[in-house]
Short mmCIF file of all heavy atoms in Angstrom, two decimals:
data_model
loop_
_atom_site.label_atom_id
_atom_site.label_comp_id
_atom_site.label_asym_id
_atom_site.label_seq_id
_atom_site.Cartn_x
_atom_site.Cartn_y
_atom_site.Cartn_z
N VAL A 17 -140.28 73.13 1.00
CA VAL A 17 -138.83 73.13 1.20
C VAL A 17 -138.33 74.53 1.52
O VAL A 17 -137.54 74.74 2.45
CB VAL A 17 -138.12 72.57 -0.05
CG1 VAL A 17 -136.60 72.72 0.09
CG2 VAL A 17 -138.49 71.11 -0.27
N ASN A 18 -138.78 75.52 0.76
CA ASN A 18 -138.36 76.90 1.00
C ASN A 18 -138.80 77.38 2.37
O ASN A 18 -138.06 78.09 3.06
CB ASN A 18 -138.94 77.82 -0.08
CG ASN A 18 -138.30 77.60 -1.43
OD1 ASN A 18 -137.19 77.07 -1.51
ND2 ASN A 18 -138.97 77.98 -2.50
N ALA A 19 -140.01 77.00 2.78
CA ALA A 19 -140.51 77.41 4.10
C ALA A 19 -139.65 76.80 5.20
O ALA A 19 -139.31 77.47 6.19
CB ALA A 19 -141.96 76.98 4.25
N GLN A 20 -139.27 75.52 5.02
CA GLN A 20 -138.42 74.87 6.01
C GLN A 20 -137.06 75.55 6.08
O GLN A 20 -136.51 75.77 7.18
CB GLN A 20 -138.26 73.39 5.66
CG GLN A 20 -139.53 72.57 5.87
CD GLN A 20 -139.37 71.14 5.38
OE1 GLN A 20 -138.58 70.87 4.48
NE2 GLN A 20 -140.12 70.23 5.97
N ASN A 21 -136.50 75.90 4.93
CA ASN A 21 -135.21 76.59 4.90
C ASN A 21 -135.30 77.94 5.58
O ASN A 21 -134.37 78.35 6.31
CB ASN A 21 -134.74 76.76 3.45
CG ASN A 21 -134.33 75.45 2.82
OD1 ASN A 21 -134.03 74.49 3.51
ND2 ASN A 21 -134.33 75.40 1.49
N ASP A 22 -136.40 78.67 5.35
CA ASP A 22 -136.58 79.98 5.97
C ASP A 22 -136.63 79.85 7.49
O ASP A 22 -136.05 80.67 8.21
CB ASP A 22 -137.87 80.64 5.47
CG ASP A 22 -137.74 81.14 4.04
OD1 ASP A 22 -136.59 81.24 3.56
OD2 ASP A 22 -138.77 81.42 3.41
N ILE A 23 -137.34 78.82 7.98
CA ILE A 23 -137.43 78.60 9.42
C ILE A 23 -136.06 78.28 10.00
O ILE A 23 -135.67 78.80 11.05
CB ILE A 23 -138.43 77.47 9.73
CG1 ILE A 23 -139.86 77.91 9.38
CG2 ILE A 23 -138.36 77.07 11.21
CD1 ILE A 23 -140.88 76.81 9.47
N GLN A 24 -135.30 77.44 9.29
CA GLN A 24 -133.97 77.09 9.76
C GLN A 24 -133.05 78.30 9.81
O GLN A 24 -132.29 78.47 10.77
CB GLN A 24 -133.38 76.00 8.85
CG GLN A 24 -134.08 74.66 8.98
CD GLN A 24 -133.65 73.66 7.93
OE1 GLN A 24 -132.83 73.99 7.07
NE2 GLN A 24 -134.18 72.46 7.97
N ILE A 25 -133.12 79.14 8.78
CA ILE A 25 -132.30 80.35 8.76
C ILE A 25 -132.70 81.28 9.88
O ILE A 25 -131.84 81.85 10.57
CB ILE A 25 -132.41 81.05 7.38
CG1 ILE A 25 -131.68 80.24 6.31
CG2 ILE A 25 -131.84 82.47 7.44
CD1 ILE A 25 -131.84 80.77 4.91
N PHE A 26 -134.01 81.46 10.07
CA PHE A 26 -134.49 82.32 11.16
C PHE A 26 -133.99 81.81 12.51
O PHE A 26 -133.49 82.58 13.33
CB PHE A 26 -136.01 82.38 11.15
CG PHE A 26 -136.60 83.17 12.30
CD1 PHE A 26 -136.67 84.55 12.24
CD2 PHE A 26 -137.06 82.53 13.44
CE1 PHE A 26 -137.18 85.30 13.29
CE2 PHE A 26 -137.57 83.26 14.51
CZ PHE A 26 -137.65 84.64 14.43
N ASP A 27 -134.12 80.51 12.73
CA ASP A 27 -133.66 79.92 14.00
C ASP A 27 -132.16 80.12 14.18
O ASP A 27 -131.69 80.44 15.28
CB ASP A 27 -133.99 78.43 14.04
CG ASP A 27 -135.48 78.17 14.24
OD1 ASP A 27 -136.20 79.10 14.65
OD2 ASP A 27 -135.92 77.04 13.97
N GLU A 28 -131.41 79.93 13.10
CA GLU A 28 -129.96 80.08 13.17
C GLU A 28 -129.56 81.50 13.52
O GLU A 28 -128.66 81.73 14.33
CB GLU A 28 -129.34 79.64 11.84
CG GLU A 28 -127.85 79.40 11.90
CD GLU A 28 -127.30 78.79 10.63
OE1 GLU A 28 -128.11 78.31 9.80
OE2 GLU A 28 -126.08 78.79 10.45
N LEU A 29 -130.24 82.47 12.91
CA LEU A 29 -129.95 83.87 13.22
C LEU A 29 -130.23 84.18 14.69
O LEU A 29 -129.47 84.91 15.34
CB LEU A 29 -130.80 84.78 12.33
CG LEU A 29 -130.42 84.85 10.85
CD1 LEU A 29 -131.48 85.60 10.06
CD2 LEU A 29 -129.06 85.52 10.67
N GLN A 30 -131.32 83.63 15.23
CA GLN A 30 -131.68 83.87 16.62
C GLN A 30 -130.70 83.17 17.57
O GLN A 30 -130.27 83.75 18.58
CB GLN A 30 -133.11 83.38 16.89
CG GLN A 30 -134.18 84.09 16.08
CD GLN A 30 -134.22 85.58 16.34
OE1 GLN A 30 -134.32 86.02 17.47
NE2 GLN A 30 -134.13 86.37 15.29
N GLU A 31 -130.34 81.96 17.26
CA GLU A 31 -129.48 81.17 18.15
C GLU A 31 -128.06 81.70 18.21
O GLU A 31 -127.37 81.55 19.23
CB GLU A 31 -129.47 79.71 17.68
CG GLU A 31 -130.80 79.00 17.88
CD GLU A 31 -130.87 77.68 17.12
OE1 GLU A 31 -129.85 77.32 16.47
OE2 GLU A 31 -131.92 77.03 17.16
N ASN A 32 -127.60 82.32 17.14
CA ASN A 32 -126.21 82.78 17.07
C ASN A 32 -126.03 84.24 17.45
O ASN A 32 -124.93 84.80 17.28
CB ASN A 32 -125.67 82.56 15.65
CG ASN A 32 -125.49 81.09 15.32
OD1 ASN A 32 -125.15 80.29 16.19
ND2 ASN A 32 -125.73 80.72 14.08
N ALA A 33 -127.07 84.89 17.95
CA ALA A 33 -126.99 86.32 18.25
C ALA A 33 -126.13 86.60 19.48
O ALA A 33 -126.15 85.86 20.46
CB ALA A 33 -128.40 86.88 18.46
N TRP A 34 -125.36 87.69 19.40
CA TRP A 34 -124.57 88.15 20.54
C TRP A 34 -124.30 89.64 20.39
O TRP A 34 -124.62 90.24 19.36
CB TRP A 34 -123.25 87.38 20.66
CG TRP A 34 -122.36 87.39 19.45
CD1 TRP A 34 -122.54 86.70 18.29
CD2 TRP A 34 -121.14 88.14 19.28
NE1 TRP A 34 -121.53 86.96 17.40
CE2 TRP A 34 -120.66 87.83 17.98
CE3 TRP A 34 -120.42 89.02 20.09
CZ2 TRP A 34 -119.47 88.38 17.49
CZ3 TRP A 34 -119.24 89.57 19.60
CH2 TRP A 34 -118.78 89.25 18.31
N TYR A 35 -123.77 90.26 21.43
CA TYR A 35 -123.46 91.69 21.40
C TYR A 35 -121.99 91.90 21.72
O TYR A 35 -121.37 91.12 22.44
CB TYR A 35 -124.29 92.44 22.45
CG TYR A 35 -125.72 92.71 22.08
CD1 TYR A 35 -126.72 91.80 22.39
CD2 TYR A 35 -126.08 93.89 21.43
CE1 TYR A 35 -128.05 92.06 22.05
CE2 TYR A 35 -127.40 94.15 21.09
CZ TYR A 35 -128.38 93.23 21.41
OH TYR A 35 -129.68 93.49 21.08
N PHE A 36 -121.44 92.98 21.16
CA PHE A 36 -120.11 93.39 21.63
C PHE A 36 -120.11 94.91 21.86
O PHE A 36 -120.74 95.66 21.11
CB PHE A 36 -119.01 92.98 20.63
CG PHE A 36 -118.92 93.80 19.38
CD1 PHE A 36 -118.11 94.94 19.30
CD2 PHE A 36 -119.62 93.42 18.23
CE1 PHE A 36 -118.03 95.68 18.13
CE2 PHE A 36 -119.52 94.15 17.06
CZ PHE A 36 -118.73 95.28 17.01
N PRO A 37 -119.43 95.34 22.91
CA PRO A 37 -119.38 96.77 23.21
C PRO A 37 -118.38 97.49 22.31
O PRO A 37 -117.34 96.94 21.97
CB PRO A 37 -118.92 96.80 24.68
CG PRO A 37 -118.09 95.56 24.83
CD PRO A 37 -118.73 94.52 23.92
N THR A 38 -118.71 98.70 21.91
CA THR A 38 -117.78 99.51 21.13
C THR A 38 -116.64 99.96 22.03
O THR A 38 -116.76 99.99 23.26
CB THR A 38 -118.48 100.74 20.54
OG1 THR A 38 -119.05 101.52 21.60
CG2 THR A 38 -119.59 100.31 19.58
#
Side-chain angles (χ1 to χ4, degrees):
V17 173
N18 290 339
Q20 290 174 333
N21 289 339
D22 287 344
I23 292 172
Q24 291 171 358
I25 288 175
F26 176 81
D27 287 343
E28 195 171 347
L29 289 170
Q30 298 300 306
E31 292 167 2
N32 291 325
W34 56 285
Y35 282 90
F36 75 90
T38 58

